Amino acid sequence: MSNNDFLVLKNITKAFGKAVVIDNLDLTIKRGTMVTLLGPSGCGKTTVLRLVAGLESPTEGQIFIDGEDVTKSSIQNRDICIVFQSYALFPHMSIGDNVGYGLRMQGVGAEERKQRVKEALELVDLAGFEDRYVDQISGGQQQRVALARALILKPKVLLFDEPLSNLDANLRRSMREKIRELQQRLGITSLYVTHDQTEAFAVSDEVIVMHKGKIMQKAPAKELYLHPNSLFLANFMGESSIFNGQLNQNQVTVNGYQFSLPDAEKFGIANGECLVGIRPEAISLKTEGEPSQLCQIKSAIYMGNHWEIVATWGGQELMINANPDNFDENTQTAYVHLAEHGVFLLNKE
Ligand SMILES: Nc1ncnc2c1ncn2[C@@H]1O[C@H](COP(=O)(O)OP(=O)(O)OP(=O)(O)O)[C@@H](O)[C@H]1O
Ligand SMILES: [Mg+2]
């Protein structure tokens, strides 16, 4: 464990009765970084958070915070805060008292509390909201109060469980930017749970994709998208069409169409048969090409900033996103050209 490994889960297994919900999971979050757990419903994300917070204890394994084994420590002694989807604010208390609640429990005096509440509310752009009540502010503001209530305690680790699910799309975007900005500015080590890929990409240094209690891949967003390590990842992260193909050095062949993929060795695939994943944006449609590049357009939907096209290529469906200026909706056939960005290789299973 290096000095920078701030939150470490080692061989963590959690079973409820006979059901193994977290299966021998290893996870490290570097000091001051934010990592997201992303995965389908029921894969164990909340359970991981609850284990870190001390709301559950693991069946096996150890949890370390800043080098200290906290596996058996109580919730209070872990110095951790969670921001939930339901803001869990006290309706009978003013905003100021809600934010200062944790400090009061710690026995911090009124004078200091007042000052720190003021600072915490300023951090979340709610200066002067001390005397309002929960039912006098909007949902987005309530979530910011919940964030201030956590930040004021200067926790060692901040946990988020789908904190933005109750907000509308515009608010979600500004809130996630706020969370990311504060996390980076204050350098708080954070673990963020979501099932929303955009949110995961927007807030984190690294994304962990979970499935059935296991980690499938952990990497920065760009790496996950460009180099998914399995069919599960390819299907879970964005869209792609998967074809059988052949690899020979940096040359890939699909449906008889050969193209070069300069970073092919990054996929760690041996020469020979493989699977070729093609992201919709990796394709440009042109009026000329080899016969092997010809596809038939089945449908095209105008989405405003792009055309969402389904074509048939070599007897298989191919999803294509085309630039609004580069596609005529009457097109029936076109030639597929592949860009390097958005094509990935997988071992044949
Ligand atoms: N206290 C419990 N007793 C028994 N089973 C539980 C308990 N808590 C969670 N589980 C089970 O563990 C699995 C993982 O649950 P968890 O809440 O961690 O999933 P999640 O990834 O957070 O899902 P979601 O995206 O729907 O919130 C589920 O199958 C759930 O039913
Ligand atoms: Mg959950």
Side-chain angles (χ1 to χ4, degrees), residues 104-133:
R104 213 175 91 204
M105 291 296 109
Q106 289 177 358
V108 174
E111 211 39 44
E112 183 186 341
R113 224 162 56 218
K114 195 171 167 199
Q115 181 57 29
R116 282 173 64 181
V117 165
K118 184 169 175 278
E119 286 164 9
L121 284 174
E122 277 166 7
L123 278 181
V124 298
D125 304 328
L126 287 178
F129 275 63
E130 280 90 340
D131 295 331
R132 296 236 209 144
Y133 280 78

Side-chain angles (χ1 to χ4, degrees), residues 40-59:
S41 181
C43 72
K45 305 180 296 293
T46 296
T47 305
V48 172
L49 280 199
R50 292 175 59 81
L51 286 162
V52 172
L55 293 162
E56 300 282 357
S57 48
T59 312

Side-chain angles (χ1 to χ4, degrees), residues 36 38 194 196-205 207 220-222 224-225 237:
T36 299
L38 175 68
T194 181
D196 183 309
Q197 183 187 318
T198 318
E199 210 172 296
F201 279 23
V203 298
S204 27
D205 295 292
V207 179
K222 191 173 168 195
L224 279 188
Y225 190 77
M237 270 284 142

Side-chain angles (χ1 to χ4, degrees), residues 172-337:
R172 272 210 296 273
R173 184 169 179 159
S174 63
M175 251 323 264
R176 76 182 187 226
E177 282 165 8
K178 187 80 206 166
I179 287 175
R180 179 58 164 162
E181 182 225 313
L182 285 174
Q183 181 273 325
Q184 288 185 315
R185 175 140 59 98
L186 305 173
I188 310 175
T189 309
S190 306
L191 182 57
Y192 189 104
V193 161
T194 181
H195 58 259
D196 183 309
Q197 183 187 318
T198 318
E199 210 172 296
F201 279 23
V203 298
S204 27
D205 295 292
E206 280 197 310
V207 179
I208 293 175
V209 178
M210 282 184 71
H211 181 48
K212 294 185 177 166
K214 285 186 192 291
I215 292 179
M216 305 300 287
Q217 192 168 359
K218 176 179 190 249
K222 191 173 168 195
E223 174 68 17
L224 279 188
Y225 190 77
L226 295 180
H227 299 105
N229 67 358
S230 60
L231 265 184
F232 175 82
L233 250 295
N235 291 325
F236 185 72
M237 270 284 142
E239 292 184 310
S240 55
S241 312
I242 310 282
F243 287 81
N244 285 314
Q246 279 88 36
L247 173 67
N248 186 8
Q249 308 300 346
N250 290 330
Q251 296 299 308
V252 177
T253 311
V254 183
N255 288 333
Y257 167 36
Q258 191 179 331
F259 61 98
S260 104
L261 199 60
D263 72 344
E265 84 279 1
K266 280 200 190 151
F267 296 96
I269 305 276
N271 282 335
E273 288 196 9
C274 65
L275 298 177
V276 181
I278 304 171
R279 300 289 189 192
E281 68 278 11
I283 302 160
S284 48
L285 293 175
K286 298 190 175 161
T287 50
E288 285 173 24
E290 300 289 316
S292 62
Q293 290 167 260
L294 190 68
C295 73
Q296 287 76 43
I297 308 297
K298 278 176 67 182
S299 66
I301 301 171
Y302 180 67
M303 302 298 285
N305 57 358
H306 69 280
W307 284 92
E308 205 169 275
I309 300 165
V310 178
T312 315
W313 187 39
Q316 229 182 298
E317 271 198 1
L318 179 66
M319 287 182 287
I320 304 164
N321 288 351
N323 193 304
D325 304 331
N326 292 347
F327 184 74
D328 168 4
E329 59 191 301
N330 298 315
T331 308
Q332 290 186 344
T333 60
Y335 292 89
V336 169
H337 290 255

